[in-house]
Every structure is written in structure tokens, then in C-alpha cells.
Amino acid sequence: MDLSYDDTIAVLNLGDDENRFSPDFLDEIDRVLDDVLAANAAGKAHGLVTTAGGKFYTNGLDLDWLMANGERTGWYVGRVQALLARVLTLPMPTAAAVVGHAFGAGAMLALAHDFRVMRADRGFFCLPEVDIRIPFTPGMAALIQAKLDPQAQVASMTTGRRFGGVDAERFAIVDATAGQGAVTPAAVEVLRPLMGKDPGTLGAIKATMFGPAVAALTS
């Protein structure tokens, strides 16, 4: 995981593997978000882009860890949902640069951002829960329903459909698509006109907009 800056836009590279949400991964991303918020408070960070370096944006839940630690499932799901709620209400503009596959909770992490840019010619956005027999938690369902219109909810939540970038843009799952090597720069440019928003005001607006989803994610 690596944090860099493009002017005052923080760019967080999640890594170059599957970027699954292991407990260590969750600890690290929380630490980096703490750093970004500190930079925001100091006037040095006015937006956040998350991206990745390999064929995955993130593959979501660490199922191997879950299988080995079944007795801690409740704790683990709570940690994942807390991350989603945190990104959903981050007091700065956010964009996910979906450079590769975004599956399950990884797709939900992308949805928790304000904006999404996806590679046009490679990678899938997919919520496979219906096919792997894992129903959505109320919090995860609330997040998805807060971000997608009813048609996209049915298409993504009840079918396990794999959306390529162009298909995802047609369903308004992502805001734009870009070619190889251009996804992260395009996400940065989405945020550049939004720099300088007051964090307190923006955070309060997001907390109100997404209040029911946040309550469901953190209950």
C-alpha cells in the first residue's frame, strides 16, 4: 500500500495483488486514511483517489482468513463495514480508479467513493453474492442501494453479473471509463475542480445523505 500526492490530491495505491481485506490490510488502510485526514486538516489534502497496481482493484473479503477464523466472522464483517462507512462519509471528495477487477466487498468499496472511473477494456465490477450463496448484510445492501438506481441494483445484486467498464457506465455504476494507464489520472481530474471544499460542511452533508446506510453499516 502506497500513498502519494498529485498536487493536493492524495493517491492511495492499494497494492499489486488481489488486495483482499485481511485484518492487516484493514489496519493499514485505516492508518493511511488517518494520515490523509491529518493532511486534510492541515490544508495539504483536498481529495482522495484509490487505485491499484495490478489486475485487481480489490477482490474484497479475505475468504481464506474467514474459513480459518470462523468464530471471528462477526468481528471481521464489522471491521469491513466500518471501512465502507468511513469512506462513504470521508470529509473530502473521493474517487475510485477501478483499474482492474472489483468483486464483492471490493466493488462495495468502490461504490463508497463519491465517483468511480473504470478501465474500459479490462476488468469486471461484480457483486457475486447470489452465486456464492452469501446474502448481503443489511449494511452492505443499504450501501449499494444508496449508490445505485433500482435497475442497477437488480442487475448487480440479484444476478451476479460481471460488468465490464462500458457496461458499468451504461448502468451508471461508474461515472466514466478510460483506457490502459489513464484510469487513475482520469480519476484525479474528476476531483481537481472540487479541491477546497470545507471538510466540516462536506462531511456533514455526506453523513446526512447517507445516514441510513451508515447506521446499517455500523449497527
Side-chain angles (χ1 to χ4, degrees):
M1 200 172 294
D2 178 68
L3 180 65
S4 60
Y5 284 86
D6 185 327
D7 193 7
T8 59
I9 296 175
V11 180
L12 171 57
N13 188 314
L14 299 173
D16 57 6
D17 56 17
E18 291 190 17
N19 302 327
R20 287 187 180 270
F21 295 171
S22 68
D24 287 344
F25 180 97
L26 294 170
D27 287 343
E28 180 68 4
I29 196 169
D30 270 335
R31 184 192 65 76
V32 174
L33 291 177
D34 286 343
D35 291 344
V36 172
L37 287 174
N40 177 251
K44 297 179 180 179
H46 294 124
L48 171 67
V49 169
T50 62
T51 185
K55 64 183 290 186
F56 292 90
Y57 172 71
T58 162
N59 218 3
L61 300 183
D62 189 338
L63 298 179
D64 290 340
W65 187 92
L66 267 176
M67 289 181 64
N69 297 273
E71 75 284 357
R72 301 183 69 190
T73 296
W75 170 86
Y76 175 76
V77 172
R79 284 290 312 276
V80 171
Q81 294 195 163
L83 171 63
L84 298 175
R86 188 177 194 189
V87 173
L88 186 63
T89 57
L90 210 66
M92 66 179 72
T94 60
V98 186
V99 296
H101 301 308
F103 272 66
M108 295 175 210
L109 178 62
L111 288 176
H113 292 67
D114 299 328
F115 306 100
R116 284 153 297 286
V117 179
M118 188 171 175
R119 183 166 165 178
D121 60 339
R122 181 179 177 184
F124 293 110
F125 176 103
C126 180
L127 297 170
E129 280 74 6
V130 69
D131 291 326
I132 60 177
R133 301 183 180 184
I134 300 178
F136 295 97
T137 68
M140 291 175 177
L143 166 64
I144 298 163
Q145 291 173 296
K147 286 304 188 91
L148 300 183
D149 67 26
Q151 182 185 21
Q153 291 171 33
V154 172
S156 62
M157 296 176 74
T158 70
T159 70
R161 177 174 177 172
R162 296 185 177 196
F163 295 84
V166 174
D167 201 21
E169 187 176 15
R170 184 168 68 85
F171 275 85
I173 295 170
V174 301
D175 300 279
T177 57
Q180 182 179 6
V183 178
T184 302
V188 169
E189 291 308 314
V190 168
L191 297 190
R192 205 176 297 282
L194 304 176
M195 293 193 302
K197 302 296 184 187
D198 176 69
T201 303
L202 183 58
I205 289 172
K206 289 186 182 183
T208 301
M209 284 179 67
F210 304 121
V214 171
L217 285 166
T218 58
S219 64

PDB file of all heavy atoms in Angstrom, residues 1 13 24 26 39 41 65 67 69 72 95 104 120 126 129 132 154 165 169 172 182 197 200 204:
ATOM      1  N   MET A   1       0.857  -1.187   0.000  1.00  0.00           N
ATOM      2  CA  MET A   1       0.000   0.000   0.000  1.00  0.00           C
ATOM      3  C   MET A   1       0.894   1.238   0.000  1.00  0.00           C
ATOM      4  O   MET A   1       1.845   1.314   0.787  1.00  0.00           O
ATOM      5  CB  MET A   1      -0.921  -0.020   1.216  1.00  0.00           C
ATOM      6  CG  MET A   1      -2.153   0.856   1.085  1.00  0.00           C
ATOM      7  SD  MET A   1      -3.328   0.621   2.458  1.00  0.00           S
ATOM      8  CE  MET A   1      -3.844  -1.079   2.175  1.00  0.00           C
ATOM      9  N   ASN A  13      -2.498   3.843  -3.537  1.00  0.00           N
ATOM     10  CA  ASN A  13      -2.389   2.600  -4.305  1.00  0.00           C
ATOM     11  C   ASN A  13      -2.550   1.439  -3.327  1.00  0.00           C
ATOM     12  O   ASN A  13      -1.729   1.255  -2.425  1.00  0.00           O
ATOM     13  CB  ASN A  13      -1.041   2.529  -5.021  1.00  0.00           C
ATOM     14  CG  ASN A  13      -0.952   1.367  -5.984  1.00  0.00           C
ATOM     15  OD1 ASN A  13      -1.330   0.245  -5.657  1.00  0.00           O
ATOM     16  ND2 ASN A  13      -0.436   1.625  -7.180  1.00  0.00           N
ATOM     17  N   ASP A  24      -4.828  -7.335   8.460  1.00  0.00           N
ATOM     18  CA  ASP A  24      -3.669  -6.450   8.290  1.00  0.00           C
ATOM     19  C   ASP A  24      -3.953  -5.373   7.247  1.00  0.00           C
ATOM     20  O   ASP A  24      -3.557  -4.212   7.415  1.00  0.00           O
ATOM     21  CB  ASP A  24      -2.438  -7.259   7.880  1.00  0.00           C
ATOM     22  CG  ASP A  24      -1.863  -8.081   9.013  1.00  0.00           C
ATOM     23  OD1 ASP A  24      -2.213  -7.822  10.186  1.00  0.00           O
ATOM     24  OD2 ASP A  24      -1.068  -8.991   8.735  1.00  0.00           O
ATOM     25  N   LEU A  26      -6.886  -4.138   6.499  1.00  0.00           N
ATOM     26  CA  LEU A  26      -7.819  -3.190   7.096  1.00  0.00           C
ATOM     27  C   LEU A  26      -7.102  -2.247   8.061  1.00  0.00           C
ATOM     28  O   LEU A  26      -7.391  -1.039   8.093  1.00  0.00           O
ATOM     29  CB  LEU A  26      -8.936  -3.946   7.814  1.00  0.00           C
ATOM     30  CG  LEU A  26      -9.857  -4.767   6.897  1.00  0.00           C
ATOM     31  CD1 LEU A  26     -10.774  -5.663   7.736  1.00  0.00           C
ATOM     32  CD2 LEU A  26     -10.680  -3.866   5.991  1.00  0.00           C
ATOM     33  N   ALA A  39      -3.606  15.316   6.860  1.00  0.00           N
ATOM     34  CA  ALA A  39      -3.170  16.218   5.796  1.00  0.00           C
ATOM     35  C   ALA A  39      -4.300  17.131   5.358  1.00  0.00           C
ATOM     36  O   ALA A  39      -4.088  18.306   5.034  1.00  0.00           O
ATOM     37  CB  ALA A  39      -2.662  15.399   4.604  1.00  0.00           C
ATOM     38  N   ALA A  41      -6.727  18.218   7.321  1.00  0.00           N
ATOM     39  CA  ALA A  41      -6.878  19.226   8.372  1.00  0.00           C
ATOM     40  C   ALA A  41      -5.801  20.300   8.277  1.00  0.00           C
ATOM     41  O   ALA A  41      -6.021  21.456   8.650  1.00  0.00           O
ATOM     42  CB  ALA A  41      -6.832  18.547   9.743  1.00  0.00           C
ATOM     43  N   TRP A  65      -8.949 -16.250   5.162  1.00  0.00           N
ATOM     44  CA  TRP A  65      -8.867 -15.881   6.580  1.00  0.00           C
ATOM     45  C   TRP A  65     -10.169 -16.223   7.286  1.00  0.00           C
ATOM     46  O   TRP A  65     -10.164 -16.741   8.411  1.00  0.00           O
ATOM     47  CB  TRP A  65      -8.552 -14.396   6.711  1.00  0.00           C
ATOM     48  CG  TRP A  65      -8.279 -13.974   8.128  1.00  0.00           C
ATOM     49  CD1 TRP A  65      -7.080 -13.920   8.754  1.00  0.00           C
ATOM     50  CD2 TRP A  65      -9.257 -13.577   9.113  1.00  0.00           C
ATOM     51  NE1 TRP A  65      -7.238 -13.516  10.069  1.00  0.00           N
ATOM     52  CE2 TRP A  65      -8.562 -13.302  10.309  1.00  0.00           C
ATOM     53  CE3 TRP A  65     -10.642 -13.424   9.094  1.00  0.00           C
ATOM     54  CZ2 TRP A  65      -9.211 -12.892  11.466  1.00  0.00           C
ATOM     55  CZ3 TRP A  65     -11.300 -13.024  10.262  1.00  0.00           C
ATOM     56  CH2 TRP A  65     -10.576 -12.758  11.426  1.00  0.00           C
ATOM     57  N   MET A  67     -12.363 -18.555   6.541  1.00  0.00           N
ATOM     58  CA  MET A  67     -12.510 -20.001   6.725  1.00  0.00           C
ATOM     59  C   MET A  67     -11.664 -20.502   7.894  1.00  0.00           C
ATOM     60  O   MET A  67     -12.048 -21.447   8.589  1.00  0.00           O
ATOM     61  CB  MET A  67     -12.119 -20.732   5.444  1.00  0.00           C
ATOM     62  CG  MET A  67     -13.115 -20.551   4.307  1.00  0.00           C
ATOM     63  SD  MET A  67     -12.641 -21.442   2.814  1.00  0.00           S
ATOM     64  CE  MET A  67     -12.722 -23.150   3.385  1.00  0.00           C
ATOM     65  N   ASN A  69     -10.898 -18.636  10.499  1.00  0.00           N
ATOM     66  CA  ASN A  69     -11.238 -17.891  11.724  1.00  0.00           C
ATOM     67  C   ASN A  69     -12.743 -17.659  11.804  1.00  0.00           C
ATOM     68  O   ASN A  69     -13.206 -16.551  12.078  1.00  0.00           O
ATOM     69  CB  ASN A  69     -10.503 -16.546  11.741  1.00  0.00           C
ATOM     70  CG  ASN A  69      -9.001 -16.688  11.771  1.00  0.00           C
ATOM     71  OD1 ASN A  69      -8.402 -16.812  12.832  1.00  0.00           O
ATOM     72  ND2 ASN A  69      -8.394 -16.660  10.584  1.00  0.00           N
ATOM     73  N   ARG A  72     -14.634 -15.614  14.385  1.00  0.00           N
ATOM     74  CA  ARG A  72     -14.475 -14.159  14.421  1.00  0.00           C
ATOM     75  C   ARG A  72     -15.197 -13.480  13.253  1.00  0.00           C
ATOM     76  O   ARG A  72     -14.931 -12.324  12.949  1.00  0.00           O
ATOM     77  CB  ARG A  72     -12.987 -13.799  14.390  1.00  0.00           C
ATOM     78  CG  ARG A  72     -12.185 -14.395  15.541  1.00  0.00           C
ATOM     79  CD  ARG A  72     -10.741 -13.941  15.504  1.00  0.00           C
ATOM     80  NE  ARG A  72     -10.598 -12.538  15.813  1.00  0.00           N
ATOM     81  CZ  ARG A  72      -9.468 -11.836  15.667  1.00  0.00           C
ATOM     82  NH1 ARG A  72      -8.391 -12.442  15.184  1.00  0.00           N
ATOM     83  NH2 ARG A  72      -9.415 -10.562  15.967  1.00  0.00           N
ATOM     84  N   ALA A  95     -12.616   9.470  -5.184  1.00  0.00           N
ATOM     85  CA  ALA A  95     -12.851   8.767  -6.443  1.00  0.00           C
ATOM     86  C   ALA A  95     -12.105   7.454  -6.432  1.00  0.00           C
ATOM     87  O   ALA A  95     -10.950   7.384  -5.998  1.00  0.00           O
ATOM     88  CB  ALA A  95     -12.414   9.610  -7.640  1.00  0.00           C
ATOM     89  N   GLY A 104     -17.275  -8.226  -5.058  1.00  0.00           N
ATOM     90  CA  GLY A 104     -17.841  -8.317  -3.725  1.00  0.00           C
ATOM     91  C   GLY A 104     -17.629  -7.054  -2.914  1.00  0.00           C
ATOM     92  O   GLY A 104     -17.977  -5.951  -3.334  1.00  0.00           O
ATOM     93  N   ALA A 120     -11.891   0.806 -19.437  1.00  0.00           N
ATOM     94  CA  ALA A 120     -12.912   0.474 -20.433  1.00  0.00           C
ATOM     95  C   ALA A 120     -12.760  -0.929 -20.985  1.00  0.00           C
ATOM     96  O   ALA A 120     -13.764  -1.575 -21.329  1.00  0.00           O
ATOM     97  CB  ALA A 120     -12.873   1.495 -21.574  1.00  0.00           C
ATOM     98  N   CYS A 126     -18.285  -6.659 -10.043  1.00  0.00           N
ATOM     99  CA  CYS A 126     -19.206  -7.774  -9.819  1.00  0.00           C
ATOM    100  C   CYS A 126     -19.551  -7.904  -8.341  1.00  0.00           C
ATOM    101  O   CYS A 126     -18.674  -7.827  -7.475  1.00  0.00           O
ATOM    102  CB  CYS A 126     -18.573  -9.084 -10.314  1.00  0.00           C
ATOM    103  SG  CYS A 126     -19.603 -10.547 -10.085  1.00  0.00           S
ATOM    104  N   GLU A 129     -22.494 -12.309  -4.733  1.00  0.00           N
ATOM    105  CA  GLU A 129     -23.072 -12.933  -3.542  1.00  0.00           C
ATOM    106  C   GLU A 129     -24.160 -13.962  -3.864  1.00  0.00           C
ATOM    107  O   GLU A 129     -24.258 -15.014  -3.217  1.00  0.00           O
ATOM    108  CB  GLU A 129     -23.612 -11.849  -2.599  1.00  0.00           C
ATOM    109  CG  GLU A 129     -22.551 -11.166  -1.752  1.00  0.00           C
ATOM    110  CD  GLU A 129     -21.680 -10.179  -2.530  1.00  0.00           C
ATOM    111  OE1 GLU A 129     -21.959  -9.925  -3.723  1.00  0.00           O
ATOM    112  OE2 GLU A 129     -20.725  -9.640  -1.935  1.00  0.00           O
ATOM    113  N   ILE A 132     -22.437 -17.230  -4.843  1.00  0.00           N
ATOM    114  CA  ILE A 132     -21.612 -17.904  -3.835  1.00  0.00           C
ATOM    115  C   ILE A 132     -22.393 -18.133  -2.536  1.00  0.00           C
ATOM    116  O   ILE A 132     -21.839 -18.512  -1.524  1.00  0.00           O
ATOM    117  CB  ILE A 132     -20.301 -17.125  -3.558  1.00  0.00           C
ATOM    118  CG1 ILE A 132     -20.585 -15.711  -3.044  1.00  0.00           C
ATOM    119  CG2 ILE A 132     -19.450 -17.064  -4.817  1.00  0.00           C
ATOM    120  CD1 ILE A 132     -19.330 -14.935  -2.681  1.00  0.00           C
ATOM    121  N   VAL A 154     -30.976  -4.289  -9.188  1.00  0.00           N
ATOM    122  CA  VAL A 154     -31.433  -5.616  -9.583  1.00  0.00           C
ATOM    123  C   VAL A 154     -30.391  -6.302 -10.458  1.00  0.00           C
ATOM    124  O   VAL A 154     -30.048  -7.479 -10.262  1.00  0.00           O
ATOM    125  CB  VAL A 154     -32.786  -5.521 -10.311  1.00  0.00           C
ATOM    126  CG1 VAL A 154     -33.176  -6.888 -10.895  1.00  0.00           C
ATOM    127  CG2 VAL A 154     -33.869  -5.039  -9.365  1.00  0.00           C
ATOM    128  N   GLY A 165     -16.265  -2.264 -18.096  1.00  0.00           N
ATOM    129  CA  GLY A 165     -16.320  -0.822 -17.889  1.00  0.00           C
ATOM    130  C   GLY A 165     -17.426  -0.132 -18.654  1.00  0.00           C
ATOM    131  O   GLY A 165     -18.174   0.683 -18.093  1.00  0.00           O
ATOM    132  N   GLU A 169     -20.682   1.702 -17.022  1.00  0.00           N
ATOM    133  CA  GLU A 169     -21.017   3.102 -17.259  1.00  0.00           C
ATOM    134  C   GLU A 169     -22.458   3.234 -17.763  1.00  0.00           C
ATOM    135  O   GLU A 169     -23.174   4.166 -17.383  1.00  0.00           O
ATOM    136  CB  GLU A 169     -20.049   3.715 -18.260  1.00  0.00           C
ATOM    137  CG  GLU A 169     -20.229   5.213 -18.443  1.00  0.00           C
ATOM    138  CD  GLU A 169     -19.199   5.831 -19.357  1.00  0.00           C
ATOM    139  OE1 GLU A 169     -18.510   5.084 -20.090  1.00  0.00           O
ATOM    140  OE2 GLU A 169     -19.070   7.071 -19.345  1.00  0.00           O
ATOM    141  N   ALA A 172     -24.700   3.352 -14.981  1.00  0.00           N
ATOM    142  CA  ALA A 172     -24.339   4.406 -14.026  1.00  0.00           C
ATOM    143  C   ALA A 172     -23.729   3.837 -12.748  1.00  0.00           C
ATOM    144  O   ALA A 172     -23.805   4.461 -11.688  1.00  0.00           O
ATOM    145  CB  ALA A 172     -25.538   5.295 -13.703  1.00  0.00           C
ATOM    146  N   ALA A 182      -4.680   5.260 -18.079  1.00  0.00           N
ATOM    147  CA  ALA A 182      -5.337   6.564 -17.978  1.00  0.00           C
ATOM    148  C   ALA A 182      -6.409   6.620 -16.894  1.00  0.00           C
ATOM    149  O   ALA A 182      -6.991   7.686 -16.658  1.00  0.00           O
ATOM    150  CB  ALA A 182      -5.970   6.934 -19.322  1.00  0.00           C
ATOM    151  N   LYS A 197     -13.139  22.253  -0.907  1.00  0.00           N
ATOM    152  CA  LYS A 197     -14.412  22.159  -0.205  1.00  0.00           C
ATOM    153  C   LYS A 197     -14.161  22.113   1.310  1.00  0.00           C
ATOM    154  O   LYS A 197     -13.220  21.493   1.780  1.00  0.00           O
ATOM    155  CB  LYS A 197     -15.174  20.902  -0.621  1.00  0.00           C
ATOM    156  CG  LYS A 197     -15.471  20.795  -2.107  1.00  0.00           C
ATOM    157  CD  LYS A 197     -16.385  21.899  -2.601  1.00  0.00           C
ATOM    158  CE  LYS A 197     -16.726  21.690  -4.073  1.00  0.00           C
ATOM    159  NZ  LYS A 197     -17.489  22.836  -4.636  1.00  0.00           N
ATOM    160  N   GLY A 200     -15.684  20.222   7.117  1.00  0.00           N
ATOM    161  CA  GLY A 200     -16.785  20.094   8.064  1.00  0.00           C
ATOM    162  C   GLY A 200     -18.130  20.075   7.369  1.00  0.00           C
ATOM    163  O   GLY A 200     -19.012  19.267   7.696  1.00  0.00           O
ATOM    164  N   ALA A 204     -20.551  16.757   6.928  1.00  0.00           N
ATOM    165  CA  ALA A 204     -21.912  16.798   7.459  1.00  0.00           C
ATOM    166  C   ALA A 204     -22.933  16.460   6.375  1.00  0.00           C
ATOM    167  O   ALA A 204     -23.921  15.760   6.621  1.00  0.00           O
ATOM    168  CB  ALA A 204     -22.202  18.172   8.049  1.00  0.00           C
TER     169      ALA A 204
END
